[in-house]
Amino acid sequence: MEKGLKPKTVITYEGKDVSGDFAPILHGVTFKDFLDGRAGEIEINLSNREGFFGADWYPDIDDEMHILMGYEGGDMLDTGIFWVDEIGLSGGNSGDTCNIRALSLRSSGLNSAIQKKNHAGRPVADIVNEVAETLKCRARGDLSGTWSGMQNETGLRFLNRLACELGRICKVEGTDLIFYPIEQLGQIGQLEIKRGDVFNYDLKDVATGRISKCTVKWWDQKKKKHISGSYNTGIKGGGEVVRWEEVKDNAEAQKKAKDFITDRNKKGIEFSISMIGDVRLRAGVSVRMVGFGRFDGIYYISEATHIVNSSGYTTNVTLQKPQKND
């Protein structure tokens, strides 16, 4: 943990380092990093007492922004490239302010028209790369296999659903769309967080939504026979579901059943914690919780929020521990 160090932010706006210009009027910077199919968010809150942001300094939608957060003389968190999505000006007895919100994907890509397309047994890599190109992103990670189904959403929503059906995560990281199996969560880059490191925490262990057994069925019109495959986790308090999906054999049906149940049960136990700012805590990183009794163990970060303001640097994270499927 970084203790006794002075928080620092470096703000680059449209290719120019504006950290010095913003320093006297900067109220705070917030960075939100999500694991599952959502664009990252940056918010900058500034004083507008001189009225600059209502005149020459007024930002434009899709202006490019890049921010580093961390400590002077220490490691810095590179948030990646963001594009302005929303500008807000407000005022009152406490003064005038400007709030700039930016996303890790351009608003033109997020707000694109719904695409309707039938994918029949196409390679996953071809589908994902095709959609990623329209979002001006690069796809990488586990793009193996084939997929059949109908696209009836905007690009990012579709890729998130596709990843879920394949038992994978689609993480937006800068201009990269990273796909990796849900089974990898809780296995990579373990950091240790002790009870004494945490300002406060909230823990939930909820049964609602858990699935114990899933069965995938299909009717093969050519062979005139039923195809079926099931996967049973034995999780306590879980329900059972039956899904009709196009599959070629019983083995594929069983895999689809497992992928579905793995996605539905990926939340499990959920921790929310607040602690001193730590640049290592990003969505997807695994941590080992120590000092919480029966809830000690390995969790993964599903959401991380880094905040630098007059109070210092804090990090709030949501930790999840998937239900075991085996």
Side-chain angles (χ1 to χ4, degrees), residues 15-191:
K16 178 184 176 182
D17 186 344
V18 296
S19 306
D21 296 325
F22 281 6
I25 58 175
L26 183 64
H27 289 168
V29 177
T30 300
F31 165 55
K32 294 182 178 181
D33 188 30
F34 304 102
L35 177 62
D36 201 351
R38 293 174 61 184
E41 300 178 10
I42 284 279
E43 285 196 16
I44 302 179
N45 187 260
L46 304 127
S47 168
N48 193 32
R49 60 177 177 266
E50 303 295 336
F52 293 146
F53 293 99
D56 294 342
W57 285 20
Y58 189 78
D60 284 329
I61 296 296
D62 272 355
D63 278 356
E64 187 177 290
M65 187 187 304
H66 177 231
I67 293 180
L68 301 174
M69 305 174 70
Y71 298 95
E72 290 186 359
D75 293 332
M76 300 289 283
L77 168 61
D78 188 342
T79 64
I81 303 297
F82 283 72
W83 288 270
V84 174
D85 179 69
E86 181 181 301
I87 306 106
L89 300 177
S90 59
N93 293 334
S94 59
D96 294 347
T97 60
C98 174
N99 195 73
I100 302 172
R101 177 175 177 263
L103 303 177
S104 60
L105 287 178
R106 292 182 186 272
S107 56
S108 55
L110 290 172
N111 300 323
S112 59
I114 292 175
Q115 300 294 316
K116 294 186 177 182
K117 188 170 184 178
N118 184 30
H119 301 280
R122 292 188 65 198
V124 171
D126 290 351
I127 299 172
V128 172
N129 286 321
E130 191 176 277
V131 177
E133 186 176 352
T134 67
L135 296 172
K136 296 182 173 59
C137 291
R138 179 185 65 166
R140 58 188 178 91
D142 185 355
L143 305 178
S144 62
T146 60
W147 185 80
S148 296
M150 185 73 185
Q151 177 182 352
N152 192 27
E153 309 101 324
T154 57
L156 189 58
R157 287 183 180 275
F158 169 63
L159 291 183
N160 190 40
R161 176 168 68 88
L162 176 63
C164 288
E165 292 187 10
L166 294 170
R168 301 171 199 175
I169 289 289
C170 171
K171 183 178 189 301
V172 181
E173 192 167 298
T175 54
D176 284 351
L177 300 174
I178 307 171
F179 287 74
Y180 54 93
I182 292 174
E183 286 87 350
Q184 288 185 4
L185 296 175
Q187 298 178 7
I188 303 172
Q190 294 176 24
L191 304 173

Side-chain angles (χ1 to χ4, degrees), residues 193-195 201-206 210 267-273 287-300 319-323:
I193 297 178
K194 299 178 181 178
R195 176 64 184 89
Y201 74 91
D202 184 59
L203 185 148
K204 295 178 181 177
D205 186 5
V206 182
R210 294 180 186 175
K267 287 189 175 182
I269 297 170
E270 182 177 291
F271 253 131
S272 296
I273 67 172
V287 300
R288 181 182 294 276
M289 303 300 289
V290 178
F292 294 89
R294 66 177 296 165
F295 298 103
D296 283 359
I298 299 172
Y299 295 74
Y300 67 88
L319 302 166
Q320 294 178 340
K321 189 171 189 174
Q323 296 294 329

Side-chain angles (χ1 to χ4, degrees), residues 207-269:
T208 303
R210 294 180 186 175
I211 302 297
S212 292
K213 182 180 179 181
C214 176
T215 300
V216 171
K217 296 182 178 182
W218 188 248
W219 170 253
D220 189 321
Q221 185 65 33
K222 292 182 179 179
K223 297 181 180 180
K224 305 296 182 184
K225 70 173 187 177
H226 280 289
I227 300 173
S228 178
S230 298
Y231 190 79
N232 194 337
T233 68
I235 291 174
K236 292 178 66 175
E240 297 186 16
V241 296
V242 176
R243 294 170 58 83
W244 287 85
E245 293 187 51
E246 183 176 354
V247 288
K248 65 177 182 293
D249 54 34
N250 293 341
E252 185 180 4
Q254 185 179 40
K255 182 180 183 305
K256 281 186 174 287
K258 181 179 179 181
D259 288 343
F260 175 80
I261 210 168
T262 299
D263 177 69
R264 283 292 299 269
N265 291 345
K266 67 177 180 290
K267 287 189 175 182
I269 297 170

Side-chain angles (χ1 to χ4, degrees), residues 6-22:
K6 183 179 179 181
K8 178 181 179 180
T9 57
V10 178
I11 304 174
T12 303
Y13 196 95
E14 284 289 284
K16 178 184 176 182
D17 186 344
V18 296
S19 306
D21 296 325
F22 281 6

